[in-house]
Amino acid sequence: MKVAVLGTGQVAIALAKGFASRGHSVVFGTRDVQGKTALEAVAAVSGSSAAPYAEAAKSADMAVITTSWSGTQNALQLTGAAHLAGKLVIDVTNPLDFSTGKPALAVGFPSSAGQQIQQWLPGAHVVKAFNIITATRMVDPKFEDGQADMFIAGNDAAAKAKTVDILKSFGWRTPVDMGDISKAYLLEALAMIWIEYGVSRNYWAHGFSLLGAQK
Ligand SMILES: NC(=O)c1ccc[n+]([C@@H]2O[C@H](COP(=O)([O-])OP(=O)(O)OC[C@H]3O[C@@H](n4cnc5c(N)ncnc54)[C@H](OP(=O)(O)O)[C@@H]3O)[C@@H](O)[C@H]2O)c1
């Protein structure tokens, strides 16, 4: 697949490395193809390239949203919803508000970033995933004391099946499907538990495991 990774931050690079190492081609979507982060992202992922958001999305089979929440609506406006219509769009964002100095949810129940993104991209098949783990453990996740689980939510069964395949190829066991995109708020609240634990301890090597899950 040709994968448009929208954004050029640490999550973008981590997931781009995952896709590239599994034989997919990666194009980063960015506001500035010659900007520092775009150049660093392309240098970090062999075979990748960078293009303006719209161009990256237009040429891709699927996309991954790795933008900061404050920049996501603008990034998707620059991308153009039509360029993602009918495609799998994995949403990795957490809708964080840093204005008080400590991360808090900017959007919450009954809404969510995932649901807002689905509204901004009405023709796309948005699947929330990867938002409950640090960038460095999104691919080949390893934990000394067990296996972590990934949770997903999205409306389209085929898009979720494709996301499951991607997660498995990245080293995750079968993810926990929480339902349609209206359940994205649960994944974003779960991320807040993960973030609160990390911020209070300055420790980011933790993940969630659903014990006794149905086989
Ligand atoms: N860091 C983690 O470990 C982690 C874990 C789970 C989830 N997340 C979530 O994943 C997302 C990415 O996190 P990150 O730390 O990798 O990156 P980030 O520093 O939050 O930003 C990523 C990208 O957002 C784009 N962006 C920012 N403002 C924009 C604007 N006004 N318009 C258009 N694009 C804009 C930038 O791309 P360009 O400048 O190239 O356009 C930037 O490279 C966030 O939503 C975060 O909450 C992060």
Side-chain angles (χ1 to χ4, degrees), residues 8-11 30-31 53 66-68 71 74 92-94 133-135:
T8 55
Q10 53 171 327
V11 171
T30 177
R31 288 168 295 177
Y53 281 111
T66 68
T67 45
S68 60
N74 184 47
V92 189
T93 67
N94 279 314
I133 198 76
T134 192

Side-chain angles (χ1 to χ4, degrees), residues 134-187:
T134 192
T136 53
R137 281 166 199 255
M138 288 179 178
V139 182
D140 296 321
K142 296 259 182 327
F143 298 86
E144 280 177 17
D145 52 350
Q147 232 179 328
D149 282 303
M150 184 51 65
F151 296 69
I152 65 171
N155 293 342
D156 186 81
K160 282 200 282 197
K162 216 183 230 186
T163 305
V164 169
D165 288 345
I166 291 165
L167 281 160
K168 285 180 158 181
S169 78
F170 282 10
W172 293 89
R173 60 185 173 190
T174 304
V176 183
D177 183 352
M178 294 305 295
D180 64 30
I181 200 67
S182 72
K183 299 296 190 316
Y185 79 90
L186 290 171
L187 277 61

Side-chain angles (χ1 to χ4, degrees), residues 19-103:
F19 282 107
S21 67
R22 271 65 175 176
H24 304 289
S25 75
V26 171
V27 55
F28 291 97
T30 177
R31 288 168 295 177
D32 183 2
V33 174
Q34 290 304 319
K36 184 171 175 284
T37 61
L39 294 175
E40 280 170 2
V42 170
V45 184
S46 64
S48 70
S49 59
Y53 281 111
E55 211 178 292
K58 192 177 174 182
S59 67
D61 301 305
M62 61 162 285
V64 188
I65 303 176
T66 68
T67 45
S68 60
W69 179 244
S70 59
T72 296
Q73 188 170 15
N74 184 47
L76 294 181
Q77 272 164 0
L78 293 171
T79 299
H83 293 143
L84 294 174
K87 299 178 185 177
L88 164 62
V89 175
I90 297 182
D91 164 30
V92 189
T93 67
N94 279 314
L96 299 180
D97 169 9
F98 293 96
S99 61
T100 61
K102 221 183 150 200

